[in-house]
Each structure stands twice: as C-alpha cells, then as structure tokens.
Amino acid sequence: MITTDFTDKVAFITGAGVGIGRATALAFAEAGADVALVSIDEDDLNETARLVPDTGRRAHPIVADVSDASAVQAAVSSTADEFGRIDFAVNNAGIEQPPTPLDETGQDDWNRLIAVNLTGVFLAMKHEIPAMRESGGGAIVNLSSGAGVVGISGQAAYAATKHGVIGMTKSAALEVAAEGIRINAICPGIIETPMMGRFSGGTPEGRARVIAQEPVGRMGRPEEIASAALWLCSDLGGFAVSHALVVDGGQTVGIS
Ligand code: NAD
C-alpha cells in the first residue's frame, strides 16, 4: 500500500534548528520517524529536540558544521549507532547571501557560501549514501532554491551554490537509483523563516518587497516545504528520481 507512514524509519535532517529544517524534522516525526537533528547552533537544536517527543518519536541532536568533513562523517555514523539505520536525509542547512553584485562580493563570502551550501550537501550525501545502502535503500532530498533555476540579481554566489545543488542531485541520483536510493531536490520560493527575516530586513517595507515577488501574494510557510520533502521521501513519491521540485508560489514561473 502506498503510504507516508514512517514508523520504524530514521530521518537525518541538517539545519534542523529553525525554519524549514525544524518544520521538516517535526513533519517526519509526526509521520513516525525517529529524527537525527544537525545544526551549528546548539540552542536552536535543543529547542527542536524538545518539540520532537510531543510526536511520540525520538530525537538525536548533533551539533555540527556541515562544511566540516569529519563532523559530518561523525554525525552520520552517530545516527546509525543511535537508531540502527538511516532511511531518509534532508540536506537543508544553508546560508544566505546579503544582496551584493558579483564584482563587490568578497572571496571570503564566496568561499563560505560554497562551503556550507554546496560542500555541505556533498559531504552529507557522501556519508548518507553508504549508510542507506546498509539500510537497504532510502531517499535523500537536497534544498536548492528558486535561485537554483533562475538568475537573481545580487545573488550570483548564492545562485551558483543552488544551481550546483541541482547538478549534484541529478548526477548522484543516477548513480544510486538502481540500489533503491532516490535523490531529489526542492526549490522553495520565499519562505517565512529566520533566513528570510534577515534577507528582507524584517521591516514592513522589506517584507512587502519580497512578497511582491510572489504571485500568490504571501510568503510560503516552512511546513509547505516540509510536506514536499515528506512526499518525495515517502512511497507517494516512489517514482520521483533526479527531480528538482519547484515549490515557490509561482515566483520563478514568469512575469505576473
Ligand atoms: P534558516 O537560516 O532560517 O535556518 C537554517 C538552519 O541551518 C539553522 O538551523 C542554522 O543554524 C543551520 N545552519 C546554518 N549553517 C549551518 C552549518 N554550516 N552547519 C549546520 N547547520 C547550519 O534557513 P531556512 O530559510 O530555513 O532555509 C533552509 C534551506 O532552504 C537553506 O538551504 C536555504 O538556502 C533554502 N531556501 C530557503 C528559502 C527561504 O525563503 N527561506 C528559499 C529558498 C531556499
């Protein structure tokens, strides 16, 4: 039977402290999965972990920087040690680029965006794939962006990382599809999270400016991205492979 019942499954979610990552962790736990929560910020992580038991599931919080190779390897292996398996991964940790033209973007900023948004996804998949093989298959969702499918002025470095996530997703997916591991990406539009608060400045004018990009006339909710990740990982998305799913309120479709 086709189901979103994740009972006895284990999900590994990066950037799980706030925003889309926290909503995804809670959605997977609501669906029955035990959840490994990875974030660089311990306080946020502990708050997400505190909310998980309300779903009846277990949380395994791990403080780690996804750009640190040994920390990511240790996070994946401690999840397998704690829960005995890994079935799903949502590689969501990411950082934004304050609007800056490319010729004014510092190389340190470029390097950090690449390290977290691109190398972080590479390192996570590098260790998740063998763990999923051990578990007999699985599903991975990587967070790209609308900036992964269109160019955005002032976002060249961020867009480079998010286009890169899609190329990496599509290629890795082909390598492991025959082993029962499905890899896909999600490209969210403007989602109301701490990241979007920083990006918009959080002022009424800043919020209006980003909402103006959305044909639906509002920001998306983190739960509306979490549900897409849940669908992609569940049997409902069982034939989705190597796909970049745009969930953006129409933001990137055209001129409205
Ligand atoms: P957010 O900043 O609100 O939350 C990001 C989480 O990742 C936090 O818990 C943070 O502590 C953690 N994190 C940051 N750097 C980390 C690192 N190096 N190692 C481990 N954890 C780290 O972000 P969000 O808005 O929830 O975005 C989540 C993902 O979705 C990101 O990849 C982002 O680029 C992408 N995205 C967001 C939007 C949006 O509108 N919010 C749109 C498109 C794509």
Side-chain angles (χ1 to χ4, degrees):
M1 193 182 97
I2 290 183
T3 173
T4 54
D5 181 0
F6 290 169
T7 305
D8 297 330
K9 303 285 190 189
V10 173
F12 179 90
I13 297 156
T14 72
V18 293
I20 293 168
R22 176 182 286 172
T24 301
L26 296 177
F28 276 60
E30 292 281 357
D34 290 325
V35 286
L37 311 169
V38 177
S39 177
I40 201 167
D41 186 309
E42 187 168 13
D43 291 343
D44 291 343
L45 194 60
N46 287 338
E47 178 57 16
T48 303
R50 195 186 63 75
L51 297 169
V52 169
D54 290 346
T55 65
R57 307 313 310 177
R58 293 176 293 167
H60 177 48
I62 306 160
V63 179
D65 180 339
V66 294
S67 70
D68 177 337
S70 54
V72 175
Q73 182 170 20
V76 171
S77 77
S78 92
T79 301
D81 289 347
E82 177 78 10
F83 293 137
R85 55 188 301 112
I86 298 181
D87 303 280
F88 311 125
V90 181
N91 298 320
N92 160 81
I95 54 173
E96 73 277 18
Q97 175 188 8
T100 328
L102 185 143
D103 60 322
E104 293 172 22
T105 299
Q107 194 170 345
D108 287 350
D109 293 337
W110 164 267
N111 286 342
R112 187 63 186 157
L113 281 157
I114 296 286
V116 177
N117 293 5
L118 201 48
T119 306
V121 174
F122 161 73
L123 291 172
M125 286 205 289
K126 180 175 171 61
H127 297 292
E128 290 158 0
I129 287 169
M132 285 182 187
R133 264 192 204 114
E134 290 277 309
S135 305
I140 298 174
V141 172
N142 296 321
L143 265 291
S144 176
S145 169
V149 293
V150 297
I152 301 180
S153 177
Q155 292 292 299
Y158 181 79
T161 67
K162 294 302 186 180
H163 276 69
V165 165
I166 292 178
M168 183 163 41
T169 297
K170 288 184 172 177
S171 304
L174 300 177
E175 294 166 4
V176 296
E179 298 179 84
I181 300 174
R182 296 184 300 101
I183 308 182
N184 295 285
I186 297 176
C187 306
I190 305 281
I191 310 300
E192 186 143 27
T193 66
M195 176 185 285
M196 187 47 66
R198 292 188 298 272
F199 185 79
S200 69
T203 60
E205 301 74 34
R207 289 174 56 83
R209 179 172 46 77
V210 295
I211 289 171
Q213 296 176 26
E214 285 288 2
V216 291
R218 66 171 177 90
M219 296 194 208
R221 292 181 291 112
E223 293 76 13
E224 292 174 306
I225 303 303
S227 62
L230 195 136
W231 183 85
L232 282 168
C233 287
S234 75
D235 294 352
L236 295 176
F239 208 52
V241 169
S242 202
H243 183 59
L245 180 63
V246 176
V247 184
D248 74 345
Q251 181 199 15
T252 60
V253 176
I255 300 161
S256 67

